[in-house]
Amino acid sequence: MNQNIIPTETECIEILKEAGAKPLLNHSQRVKKIALAVSKKLISQGIEIDIPLIIASALLHDITKLSATICHMKEGGELLRSKGLDKIAKIVERHGLTSINDPEFTPSTYEEKIIFYSDLRANPGKIVSLKERFEYIKNAYPHIGPKIQTYYEFAKKIELELLGKEPNLELWHFKIIKIRKYKNLKQK
């Protein structure tokens, strides 16, 4: 693929399947929903966001999570670069908590920060607050230990930058969608 081409959602799903990461599709779809909601809020403030890049990066951010031997972010970036998807590769390399330990891999663009943040809000099976997600991380990855507070503070800084003091506003429309779906089901 050309380095400037961003794959469609359908192409991203095919890329995930080829890489053996299809079991992570539900999580990636949740990350995409959150990322689009955050993007919408930023766009409403006049900030330019590359939506096709956001969608593709959200879907492909964990492409090597099931197959990585050392670091799924770096290995995912390498795999995507081998496919000519350099822009997505850069975001994938910067989406994890451990990336903040290395200035070269700390999220810096809006798109990088959006995927970093959105992945943190997508707990297995649901969308959660940062506080809930970090409780999950603390229990699921006890080896992180004392670094958890540093990671949480960094994530809160990104949240404040992206969403301001009302971090749940970006998820408001999901509640409306759920209510509409429920009402439609009741009417049938």
Side-chain angles (χ1 to χ4, degrees), residues 50-62:
D50 186 336
I51 295 298
L53 181 60
I54 287 291
I55 292 169
S57 298
L59 291 172
L60 297 172
H61 78 281
D62 277 344

Side-chain angles (χ1 to χ4, degrees), residues 7 18 33 36 41 48 55 57 59 69 73 86 94 122 124 137 141 149-151 158 173 176-177:
E18 289 171 16
K33 286 180 183 178
L36 287 173
K41 180 173 171 59
E48 286 189 36
I55 292 169
S57 298
L59 291 172
T69 55
M73 286 110 37
D86 293 10
R94 288 160 175 74
I137 292 168
Y141 306 100
Q149 187 60 34
T150 302
Y151 294 155
I158 296 288
H173 74 276
I176 300 300
I177 291 167

Side-chain angles (χ1 to χ4, degrees), residues 16-32:
L16 278 177
K17 286 179 186 176
E18 289 171 16
K22 189 178 177 204
L24 297 172
L25 185 56
N26 286 338
H27 167 71
S28 295
Q29 292 281 11
R30 245 185 318 285
V31 171
K32 180 189 80 169

Side-chain angles (χ1 to χ4, degrees), residues 95-115:
H95 87 272
L97 288 173
T98 57
S99 65
I100 72 168
N101 296 325
D102 183 345
E104 184 183 340
F105 292 100
T106 301
S108 58
T109 68
Y110 276 110
E111 288 82 3
E112 291 167 3
K113 291 174 183 178
I114 290 167
I115 300 302

Side-chain angles (χ1 to χ4, degrees), residues 40-72:
K40 184 178 179 181
K41 180 173 171 59
L42 293 170
I43 289 167
S44 76
Q45 297 169 354
I47 297 168
E48 286 189 36
I49 303 296
D50 186 336
I51 295 298
L53 181 60
I54 287 291
I55 292 169
S57 298
L59 291 172
L60 297 172
H61 78 281
D62 277 344
I63 190 163
T64 58
K65 186 149 190 166
L66 300 176
S67 62
T69 55
I70 297 173
C71 175
H72 82 278

